[in-house]
Amino acid sequence: MHLAPRALRRAVAAASIALLATAVGCAPQPEEKASDNASGSTGSTCAKGKLATKTSGRLTIATDEPAYEPWFKDDKPANGKGFESAVAYAVAQRLGYGKSTVVWQSVPFNKAFAPGEKTFDFDINQVSISTERKKAVDFSSGYYDVRQAVIALKGSKAAKATGIADLKGLKLGAQVGTTSLNYISDVVKPSQQAAVYSKNDQAVSALKNGQVDAIVTDLPTAFYVTAAQVTNARIVGQFENQGTTPEQFGLVLDKGSALTSCVSSAVDALREDGTLAKLEKQWLSDAVDAPVLK
């Protein structure tokens, strides 16, 4: 059947549009900007209370067991007391999750930053941010600037140390996988091998029983140990930070987690509005200046 000239022109135009649409659909499309699809990207993925969490509508937070003071209170992370418990809930609130929608989970310290998929949304457990650990997990912005300290029994040779050289001949101990242990091996470089413990309370017991001359922990923990756990011990001193940036504790997340930048933004906001400083003053007020070991 022959078409009238006007009908023919319409048919040709329609066919051209269809061909153009097909060509566009089959042609390689411009790549989206990396920032639009990067893990942890902000924007709609950070909608309050609607993050891509392990359990929809809930935020799963992990820490070790037992949960030590002054980071937690009464070994109960969920009570909101202690510096890290308070920080965790403050971050959760920023992300749109109230206390009733936060679920706590027990995860051993070393397992928190070991390679492999995590069962939590973030872990808070005095984990120092490091390049090596970043190979296996993501970290949020730092929520606490920390220094390492040495604890020894009062009246002991170790308690009289005034510098790093005085520690070299001593038997020192620390928890496995910690920067405390790194400071022993990398800064002190003692003549005898350090004693390594799976948990910090084991290191504290070793100090109390005289199995080691001194132990190394972060400074706030050192104040708690000497005030409540080993009252006949004292803080010998603290180490200077190594490198140009301070050692910081960060929240631990899955490698490539879509939550990383959302959580970091929450931590940054808490630092900027003074919340972190306020919580630090409330829960870590005893972590004041201690002699610096050089």
Side-chain angles (χ1 to χ4, degrees), residues 62 107-114 116 118 120 123 125 127 137 252-253:
V107 173
F109 178 81
N110 275 342
K111 189 175 180 181
F113 51 86
K118 308 306 175 191
F120 51 78
D123 177 277
N125 190 25
V127 182
V137 294
V252 183
L253 301 94

Side-chain angles (χ1 to χ4, degrees), residues 214-253:
I215 60 173
V216 179
T217 71
D218 57 79
L219 186 57
T221 297
F223 274 96
Y224 173 69
V225 169
T226 54
Q229 293 182 294
V230 191
T231 54
N232 64 328
R234 65 180 292 265
I235 297 173
V236 179
Q238 61 178 309
F239 294 107
E240 291 182 304
N241 279 317
Q242 304 299 299
T244 56
T245 56
E247 178 185 349
Q248 290 186 315
F249 291 157
L251 306 177
V252 183
L253 301 94

